[in-house]
Amino acid sequence: MKKRFYILFIFLLCNSVKVYSDKTDTIPPSYFWITPKEFSILTTNSIKLCVDVNDKTNGTGIESVKFYAHYYDYTCTEIHKEFIGEVKDFPYEFLWDCSNIPDQCLDALILYCDVTDSLGNVSSVPQGKVNGYGLKIVLDRNPYFKDLQLLAHRINKPVIIDGNLSEWAPKDSIVFSNNDDNIIVYSTWDKKNLYFGIKVYDKYVTSPFDKDDTKIKNIPLGDKIEIYLDTLHDHAQIRDSHHPSYIFCASGLVFQRTMVFNGVQYESIEDYNLNASVSVQGTLNNTTDIDQGYIIELALPWEKMDVDKKNIKSMGLEIWTNDQDYANENKFYAGWSTRAGYLFNPSEWGNIIFVDKKVLSLKYLVFIGFLISVMLAYISIRVIKTFKSKDEDERVFDSHIKNAIEYIKEHYSEETLSREEVAQFVCLSPSYFGNLFKNECGLNFTEFLIRLRIEKAKKLLITTHKPISEIANEIGFNDQSYFCRVFRKKEKKSPGLFRKKYLKHNNPLEVQ
């Protein structure tokens, strides 16, 4: 009996100690994410959330695991730690339907988890998490690339970075709006730099920063423009060192932000040494008047961007703007190609296309103009001389060659007709007459005379029944054999065959 009593006493004592121990448990449980992994790129509308939970300190057990999400909705409103689901039993996993939220870039979509044990101890920081306790992932369900383009034409003369856009007027541009702001963006390039010129039409230009400020990590306030580049144009979904951004506050504060990502950590590096200019057209931080806006100019050295300017054809590009009017204390975000939720996702950006049409410098244009002037002068002189020479020859032709041809047509039947006879008739020397005659008629005197006699012979052959010997004498050939040889050479057939073939295919004409 005593033995049983001692056993019962020891059992009750142990249970009372355990209960006391449980009630004094203040150590929260520990957990770590199983899925998704941090920096994952998710492309579906259903995401499995799963954590591994450990509460072995005193074994009180897990009461619940709650999941939350931070993101931007379709109106670009930031949603802070929205409750998305809860599980109370092992395995601690939840299937999240995220079809109601837009694509999210890294730093935009963050998952949180609260693990509560049976005594109410809550753990919100997963094991091994030091900088913050949210799980950063990317949501990208859009398989298509943007076709928006900004054409940047090559130039020879460098752009002067002075906050004046007068030299940008004839260049290509893109235009978009944000709230009551209108933004015009230009770009061009040369062998050393890539240039941007931006005009922001804004009625109230505001900025709480001094242009000499440094080490600024986040600047959500004030009017500003941001330029994002994807120098590799590989449509990567997470920004890294190949995706620099350039921030321009209306106050004149300008710096470059480069993201460093090694798969484990994600941080930014700032550089305030830029060849840039910001000028306000109005009064900064004064809401009692109406401003015209502000102007931005930027020159980016190709070497600093670590790109091969000789082979580069395009880059990814996004222009982002923040408009904050202190008059109504509202701020508005807008981008050329993206919305707030996936601003930092380079796969969603537009494109800057580099047009490399060689532009001749002024000195080459002057030289080419001089050569063209010399050529035109030479051609003009030659044309004048040609017309002058032609006019003179036509006058000679009218007074000499025309008379010579008339004389030849009247005397072609004379066997003794010669060049000397005709030259004497027109009062020219035989040699000068011969050259002038050939230049004007295209034939020398003898060729012209033979052609004329053959044409007369052909007419007589087909219009008369005269013998060939008589026709030969009539056109100036006393030797019939010689006439036949000349006729065959010109017409490729004898006079008799010529007459026979013609009469075979044509009705004989009356004998004249």
Side-chain angles (χ1 to χ4, degrees):
M1 186 71 180
K2 268 186 182 181
K3 188 174 181 180
R4 290 181 180 179
F5 175 78
Y6 282 122
I7 292 174
L8 178 61
F9 175 77
I10 291 172
F11 175 76
L12 292 174
L13 180 63
C14 289
N15 280 330
S16 65
V17 170
K18 180 179 179 182
V19 170
Y20 177 78
S21 175
D22 287 345
K23 288 182 178 180
T24 60
D25 178 15
T26 60
I27 300 175
S30 62
Y31 77 94
F32 64 88
W33 285 91
I34 295 178
T35 181
K37 298 295 184 181
E38 189 160 30
F39 307 123
S40 296
I41 300 172
L42 306 178
T43 59
T44 64
N45 287 320
S46 297
I47 302 174
K48 186 173 77 170
L49 310 179
C50 183
V51 295
D52 185 8
V53 180
N54 184 356
D55 189 35
K56 293 181 179 180
T57 305
N58 290 295
T60 55
I62 301 301
E63 177 67 23
S64 70
V65 176
K66 296 180 179 179
F67 297 99
Y68 304 87
H70 170 283
Y71 63 92
Y72 288 84
D73 66 13
Y74 282 101
T75 65
C76 295
T77 300
E78 190 174 9
I79 307 300
H80 296 276
K81 203 172 181 180
E82 180 181 77
F83 175 73
I84 58 176
E86 179 182 14
V87 293
K88 294 187 176 183
D89 300 311
F90 179 84
Y92 301 104
E93 62 182 28
F94 178 80
L95 189 61
W96 177 35
D97 179 8
C98 58
S99 58
N100 65 318
I101 69 172
D103 286 353
Q104 305 287 310
C105 68
L106 194 62
D107 277 347
L109 179 57
I110 305 175
L111 299 178
Y112 302 96
C113 186
D114 286 346
V115 179
T116 306
D117 66 15
S118 58
L119 294 181
N121 298 309
V122 181
S123 178
S124 299
V125 181
Q127 285 180 285
K129 196 72 172 177
V130 178
N131 298 323
Y133 55 90
L135 186 72
K136 299 178 179 179
I137 59 177
V138 174
L139 186 61
D140 187 6
R141 295 155 299 183
N142 180 11
Y144 303 105
F145 298 143
K146 297 290 180 64
D147 57 1
L148 297 174
Q149 291 185 353
L150 170 61
L151 299 182
H153 292 266
R154 180 171 180 168
I155 57 174
N156 280 331
K157 186 177 180 181
V159 174
I160 301 174
I161 307 301
D162 57 359
N164 186 344
L165 294 185
S166 59
E167 59 191 315
W168 292 87
K171 296 179 174 58
D172 292 320
S173 64
I174 57 174
V175 179
F176 66 101
S177 61
N178 176 25
N179 187 28
D180 58 352
D181 290 1
N182 289 316
I183 301 94
I184 303 177
V185 182
Y186 305 92
S187 183
T188 188
W189 61 286
D190 59 22
K191 62 181 181 181
K192 291 185 178 181
N193 299 298
L194 170 61
Y195 301 96
F196 285 95
I198 303 175
K199 169 64 176 178
V200 181
Y201 293 92
D202 189 357
K203 294 180 180 179
Y204 303 103
V205 181
T206 63
S207 179
F209 306 103
D210 188 272
K211 67 178 181 179
D212 296 323
D213 288 341
T214 58
K215 301 186 183 305
I216 296 178
K217 297 299 181 181
N218 295 296
I219 50 174
L221 301 177
D223 296 326
K224 62 185 175 72
I225 288 287
E226 300 179 39
I227 299 176
Y228 295 87
L229 292 177
D230 172 11
T231 58
L232 295 181
H233 210 187
D234 57 0
H235 300 280
Q237 294 159 306
I238 297 179
R239 291 174 62 201
D240 57 20
S241 59
H242 296 289
H243 303 84
S245 60
Y246 306 89
I247 294 88
F248 304 85
C249 298
S251 61
L253 171 64
V254 178
F255 63 95
Q256 174 182 340
R257 176 174 288 167
T258 304
M259 306 307 295
V260 179
F261 176 67
N262 58 15
V264 178
Q265 289 184 326
Y266 196 65
E267 58 183 350
S268 64
I269 299 175
E270 279 76 34
D271 180 7
Y272 294 84
N273 299 313
L274 295 179
N275 183 11
S277 173
V278 180
S279 62
V280 176
Q281 297 177 314
T283 55
L284 186 65
N285 298 327
N286 183 354
T287 58
T288 63
D289 63 353
I290 301 298
D291 302 321
Q292 294 183 1
Y294 56 102
I295 291 174
I296 296 169
E297 282 190 303
L298 172 67
L300 298 175
W302 292 110
E303 293 181 355
K304 190 172 182 179
M305 290 188 288
D306 192 26
V307 298
D308 182 5
K309 64 179 181 295
K310 293 183 179 179
N311 298 316
I312 191 168
K313 303 297 182 183
S314 62
M315 286 185 185
L317 172 69
E318 170 61 315
I319 309 294
W320 190 254
T321 173
N322 178 53
D323 176 34
Q324 178 163 342
D325 295 338
Y326 285 155
N328 54 25
E329 297 183 353
N330 290 326
K331 55 185 177 182
F332 303 88
Y333 302 96
W336 171 49
S337 64
T338 64
R339 291 180 298 203
Y342 40 91
L343 163 63
F344 301 125
N345 184 345
S347 70
E348 302 287 347
W349 296 351
N351 311 277
I352 178 171
I353 309 299
F354 300 108
V355 182
D356 188 6
K357 291 183 178 180
K358 301 296 183 181
V359 180
L360 298 176
S361 63
L362 181 60
K363 64 179 181 180
Y364 289 113
L365 290 175
V366 171
F367 178 71
I368 292 175
F370 172 75
L371 290 180
I372 293 175
S373 299
V374 172
M375 292 177 62
L376 290 175
Y378 174 77
I379 293 173
S380 298
I381 294 173
R382 293 288 298 176
V383 169
I384 292 173
K385 286 185 176 180
T386 299
F387 280 113
K388 183 177 179 181
S389 176
K390 187 173 181 180
D391 289 343
E392 292 176 351
D393 289 344
E394 285 179 351
R395 288 194 297 271
V396 171
F397 180 82
D398 290 340
S399 61
H400 295 92
I401 302 304
K402 184 177 180 180
N403 292 336
I405 291 175
E406 292 296 330
Y407 185 83
I408 294 171
K409 289 181 177 180
E410 292 178 3
H411 299 276
Y412 72 92
S413 61
E414 299 175 6
E415 184 182 8
T416 58
L417 182 65
S418 64
R419 184 187 67 173
E420 287 73 16
E421 178 183 342
V422 179
Q424 184 178 2
F425 174 77
V426 295
C427 301
L428 295 175
S429 66
S431 60
Y432 179 73
F433 167 73
N435 292 331
L436 185 61
F437 190 92
K438 185 172 183 179
N439 288 338
E440 292 299 323
C441 299
L443 300 171
N444 61 33
F445 173 80
T446 301
E447 292 172 339
F448 182 86
L449 178 59
I450 290 176
R451 176 172 294 184
L452 178 61
R453 286 174 170 173
I454 295 300
E455 291 300 319
K456 295 293 185 181
K458 287 164 60 178
K459 184 177 181 180
L460 292 173
L461 286 170
I462 63 176
T463 59
T464 70
H465 294 292
K466 293 180 179 179
I468 294 176
S469 58
E470 184 178 343
I471 293 175
N473 288 327
E474 192 171 327
I475 62 172
F477 287 94
N478 291 333
D479 187 342
Q480 178 181 340
S481 299
Y482 178 62
F483 164 66
C484 290
R485 287 198 305 271
V486 172
F487 191 95
R488 184 188 296 273
K489 184 177 180 180
K490 295 294 183 182
E491 301 298 325
K492 307 303 180 186
K493 58 179 70 71
S494 65
L497 183 59
F498 176 84
R499 170 182 276 175
K500 181 177 181 181
K501 284 189 174 183
Y502 181 85
L503 296 177
K504 181 179 181 181
H505 298 289
N506 298 275
N507 294 324
L509 299 177
E510 286 189 4
V511 178
Q512 299 292 326

